[in-house]
Short mmCIF file of all heavy atoms in Angstrom, two decimals:
data_model
loop_
_atom_site.label_atom_id
_atom_site.label_comp_id
_atom_site.label_asym_id
_atom_site.label_seq_id
_atom_site.Cartn_x
_atom_site.Cartn_y
_atom_site.Cartn_z
N TYR O 41 10.42 11.32 -17.65
CA TYR O 41 10.78 12.15 -18.79
C TYR O 41 9.66 13.07 -19.24
O TYR O 41 9.86 13.90 -20.12
CB TYR O 41 11.31 11.29 -19.95
CG TYR O 41 12.73 10.86 -19.70
CD1 TYR O 41 13.08 9.52 -19.60
CD2 TYR O 41 13.72 11.81 -19.50
CE1 TYR O 41 14.38 9.15 -19.33
CE2 TYR O 41 15.03 11.45 -19.23
CZ TYR O 41 15.35 10.12 -19.14
OH TYR O 41 16.64 9.77 -18.88
N ILE O 47 16.78 18.01 -16.96
CA ILE O 47 18.22 18.15 -17.26
C ILE O 47 18.66 19.59 -17.05
O ILE O 47 17.95 20.51 -17.43
CB ILE O 47 18.51 17.74 -18.72
CG1 ILE O 47 17.92 16.37 -19.03
CG2 ILE O 47 20.00 17.76 -19.01
CD1 ILE O 47 17.89 16.03 -20.50
N THR O 55 24.41 16.87 -18.26
CA THR O 55 25.00 16.02 -19.31
C THR O 55 26.08 16.82 -20.03
O THR O 55 26.11 18.05 -19.93
CB THR O 55 23.92 15.58 -20.31
OG1 THR O 55 23.30 16.75 -20.85
CG2 THR O 55 22.87 14.69 -19.66
N PRO O 57 26.66 17.95 -23.12
CA PRO O 57 26.36 19.15 -23.90
C PRO O 57 25.93 20.33 -23.04
O PRO O 57 26.10 21.49 -23.44
CB PRO O 57 25.22 18.72 -24.84
CG PRO O 57 24.75 17.40 -24.36
CD PRO O 57 25.83 16.80 -23.54
N GLY O 89 17.00 10.75 -28.31
CA GLY O 89 16.88 11.36 -26.99
C GLY O 89 17.64 12.66 -26.86
O GLY O 89 18.60 12.77 -26.09
N GLY O 91 17.14 15.46 -25.43
CA GLY O 91 17.07 16.28 -24.21
C GLY O 91 16.62 17.69 -24.52
O GLY O 91 15.59 17.91 -25.15
N GLU O 119 12.31 11.18 -29.97
CA GLU O 119 12.05 11.67 -28.61
C GLU O 119 10.69 11.20 -28.14
O GLU O 119 9.69 11.40 -28.82
CB GLU O 119 12.12 13.21 -28.59
CG GLU O 119 11.78 13.84 -27.25
CD GLU O 119 12.65 13.32 -26.12
OE1 GLU O 119 13.86 13.59 -26.12
OE2 GLU O 119 12.11 12.61 -25.24
N ILE O 120 10.68 10.62 -26.95
CA ILE O 120 9.44 10.05 -26.42
C ILE O 120 8.62 11.09 -25.65
O ILE O 120 7.41 10.95 -25.51
CB ILE O 120 9.81 8.85 -25.50
CG1 ILE O 120 8.66 7.87 -25.39
CG2 ILE O 120 10.29 9.30 -24.15
CD1 ILE O 120 9.06 6.59 -24.69
N ASN O 158 23.63 10.66 -27.22
CA ASN O 158 24.37 10.96 -26.00
C ASN O 158 23.49 10.67 -24.79
O ASN O 158 22.39 11.23 -24.69
CB ASN O 158 24.81 12.43 -25.97
CG ASN O 158 25.71 12.71 -24.77
OD1 ASN O 158 26.76 12.09 -24.63
ND2 ASN O 158 25.28 13.59 -23.89
N GLU O 159 23.97 9.82 -23.91
CA GLU O 159 23.22 9.44 -22.70
C GLU O 159 21.79 9.03 -23.05
O GLU O 159 20.84 9.45 -22.40
CB GLU O 159 23.23 10.57 -21.67
CG GLU O 159 24.63 10.79 -21.13
CD GLU O 159 24.63 11.28 -19.70
OE1 GLU O 159 23.81 10.79 -18.90
OE2 GLU O 159 25.46 12.14 -19.38
N ARG O 393 25.51 11.62 -14.50
CA ARG O 393 24.81 10.39 -14.16
C ARG O 393 25.73 9.18 -14.05
O ARG O 393 25.25 8.07 -13.94
CB ARG O 393 23.72 10.13 -15.21
CG ARG O 393 22.74 11.28 -15.28
CD ARG O 393 21.46 10.86 -15.91
NE ARG O 393 21.57 10.62 -17.34
CZ ARG O 393 20.55 10.32 -18.11
NH1 ARG O 393 19.35 10.18 -17.60
NH2 ARG O 393 20.71 10.13 -19.39
N1 SAH B 501 20.95 13.55 -25.02
C1 SAH B 501 20.50 14.52 -24.06
C2 SAH B 501 19.47 13.98 -23.06
C3 SAH B 501 19.80 12.73 -22.31
S1 SAH B 501 18.45 12.23 -21.24
C4 SAH B 501 21.69 15.14 -23.34
O1 SAH B 501 22.79 14.63 -23.50
O2 SAH B 501 21.51 16.14 -22.63
C5 SAH B 501 17.62 11.01 -22.21
C6 SAH B 501 16.77 11.54 -23.35
O3 SAH B 501 16.19 10.43 -24.03
C7 SAH B 501 15.61 12.44 -22.97
O4 SAH B 501 15.42 13.40 -23.97
C8 SAH B 501 14.44 11.46 -22.92
O5 SAH B 501 13.19 12.09 -23.00
C9 SAH B 501 14.75 10.57 -24.08
N2 SAH B 501 14.22 9.22 -24.03
C10 SAH B 501 14.24 8.37 -22.98
N3 SAH B 501 13.73 7.16 -23.31
C11 SAH B 501 13.38 7.26 -24.62
C12 SAH B 501 12.81 6.34 -25.57
N4 SAH B 501 12.49 5.10 -25.20
N5 SAH B 501 12.60 6.77 -26.83
C13 SAH B 501 12.94 8.04 -27.20
N6 SAH B 501 13.48 8.94 -26.35
C14 SAH B 501 13.69 8.56 -25.08
#
Side-chain angles (χ1 to χ4, degrees):
Y41 283 119
I47 308 167
T55 57
E119 176 56 67
I120 204 171
N158 186 59
E159 293 211 40
R393 302 200 289 184

